[in-house]
CSV table of all heavy atoms in Angstrom, one decimal:
chain,number,residue,atom,x,y,z
A,1195,GLN,N,-18.0,19.8,-44.3
A,1195,GLN,CA,-19.0,20.2,-45.2
A,1195,GLN,C,-19.6,21.5,-44.8
A,1195,GLN,O,-19.8,21.8,-43.7
A,1195,GLN,CB,-20.2,19.1,-45.2
A,1195,GLN,CG,-19.9,17.9,-45.9
A,1195,GLN,CD,-20.9,16.8,-45.6
A,1195,GLN,OE1,-20.8,16.0,-44.8
A,1195,GLN,NE2,-22.0,16.8,-46.2
A,1196,GLY,N,-19.9,22.4,-45.9
A,1196,GLY,CA,-20.5,23.6,-45.6
A,1196,GLY,C,-19.5,24.7,-45.3
A,1196,GLY,O,-19.9,25.8,-45.2
A,1197,SER,N,-18.3,24.3,-45.0
A,1197,SER,CA,-17.2,25.4,-44.7
A,1197,SER,C,-16.4,25.5,-45.9
A,1197,SER,O,-16.2,24.6,-46.8
A,1197,SER,CB,-16.4,24.8,-43.6
A,1197,SER,OG,-17.2,24.8,-42.4
A,1198,GLU,N,-15.8,26.7,-46.0
A,1198,GLU,CA,-14.8,27.1,-47.0
A,1198,GLU,C,-13.6,27.6,-46.5
A,1198,GLU,O,-13.7,28.4,-45.5
A,1198,GLU,CB,-15.5,28.1,-48.0
A,1198,GLU,CG,-14.9,28.0,-49.4
A,1198,GLU,CD,-15.7,29.0,-50.3
A,1198,GLU,OE1,-15.9,30.2,-50.0
A,1198,GLU,OE2,-16.2,28.5,-51.3
A,1199,TYR,N,-12.4,27.4,-46.9
A,1199,TYR,CA,-11.2,27.8,-46.3
A,1199,TYR,C,-10.3,28.4,-47.5
A,1199,TYR,O,-10.4,27.9,-48.6
A,1199,TYR,CB,-10.5,26.6,-45.6
A,1199,TYR,CG,-11.3,25.8,-44.7
A,1199,TYR,CD1,-11.9,24.6,-45.2
A,1199,TYR,CD2,-11.7,26.1,-43.4
A,1199,TYR,CE1,-12.7,23.8,-44.5
A,1199,TYR,CE2,-12.4,25.3,-42.7
A,1199,TYR,CZ,-12.9,24.1,-43.2
A,1199,TYR,OH,-13.8,23.4,-42.5
A,1200,PRO,N,-9.6,29.4,-47.1
A,1200,PRO,CA,-8.5,29.9,-48.2
A,1200,PRO,C,-7.6,28.7,-48.7
A,1200,PRO,O,-7.4,28.6,-49.9
A,1200,PRO,CB,-7.8,30.9,-47.4
A,1200,PRO,CG,-8.7,31.4,-46.4
A,1200,PRO,CD,-9.5,30.3,-46.0
A,1201,ALA,N,-7.1,27.8,-47.8
A,1201,ALA,CA,-6.3,26.8,-48.3
A,1201,ALA,C,-6.7,25.5,-47.5
A,1201,ALA,O,-7.0,25.5,-46.4
A,1201,ALA,CB,-4.9,27.1,-48.0
A,1202,VAL,N,-6.6,24.3,-48.3
A,1202,VAL,CA,-6.8,23.0,-47.7
A,1202,VAL,C,-5.6,22.1,-48.0
A,1202,VAL,O,-5.0,22.2,-49.0
A,1202,VAL,CB,-8.1,22.3,-48.0
A,1202,VAL,CG1,-9.3,23.2,-47.6
A,1202,VAL,CG2,-8.2,22.0,-49.5
A,1203,VAL,N,-5.2,21.4,-47.1
A,1203,VAL,CA,-4.2,20.3,-47.2
A,1203,VAL,C,-4.9,19.0,-46.9
A,1203,VAL,O,-5.6,18.7,-45.9
A,1203,VAL,CB,-3.0,20.6,-46.1
A,1203,VAL,CG1,-2.1,19.5,-46.3
A,1203,VAL,CG2,-2.5,21.9,-46.3
A,1204,ILE,N,-4.8,18.0,-47.9
A,1204,ILE,CA,-5.5,16.8,-47.8
A,1204,ILE,C,-4.6,15.6,-48.0
A,1204,ILE,O,-3.9,15.4,-49.1
A,1204,ILE,CB,-6.5,16.7,-49.1
A,1204,ILE,CG1,-7.3,17.9,-49.2
A,1204,ILE,CG2,-7.4,15.4,-49.0
A,1204,ILE,CD1,-8.0,18.2,-50.6
A,1205,PRO,N,-4.4,14.8,-46.9
A,1205,PRO,CA,-3.5,13.6,-46.9
A,1205,PRO,C,-4.4,12.6,-47.5
A,1205,PRO,O,-5.5,12.2,-47.0
A,1205,PRO,CB,-3.2,13.4,-45.4
A,1205,PRO,CG,-4.2,14.1,-44.6
A,1205,PRO,CD,-4.8,15.2,-45.4
A,1206,VAL,N,-3.9,11.9,-48.6
A,1206,VAL,CA,-4.5,10.8,-49.3
A,1206,VAL,C,-3.6,9.7,-49.4
A,1206,VAL,O,-2.6,9.7,-50.2
A,1206,VAL,CB,-4.9,11.3,-50.8
A,1206,VAL,CG1,-5.9,10.3,-51.4
A,1206,VAL,CG2,-5.6,12.7,-50.7
A,1207,THR,N,-3.8,8.8,-48.5
A,1207,THR,CA,-3.0,7.6,-48.5
A,1207,THR,C,-3.7,6.2,-48.6
A,1207,THR,O,-4.8,6.2,-48.2
A,1207,THR,CB,-2.1,7.6,-47.1
A,1207,THR,OG1,-3.1,7.3,-46.0
A,1207,THR,CG2,-1.4,8.9,-46.8
A,1208,MET,N,-3.0,5.2,-48.9
A,1208,MET,CA,-3.7,3.9,-49.1
A,1208,MET,C,-4.1,3.3,-47.8
A,1208,MET,O,-5.0,2.4,-47.8
A,1208,MET,CB,-2.7,2.9,-49.8
A,1208,MET,CG,-2.5,3.1,-51.3
A,1208,MET,SD,-4.0,3.3,-52.2
A,1208,MET,CE,-4.6,1.7,-52.3
Side-chain angles (χ1 to χ4, degrees):
Q1195 286 171 262
S1197 293
E1198 203 175 59
Y1199 316 94
V1202 301
V1203 179
I1204 311 164
V1206 189
T1207 66
M1208 288 307 290

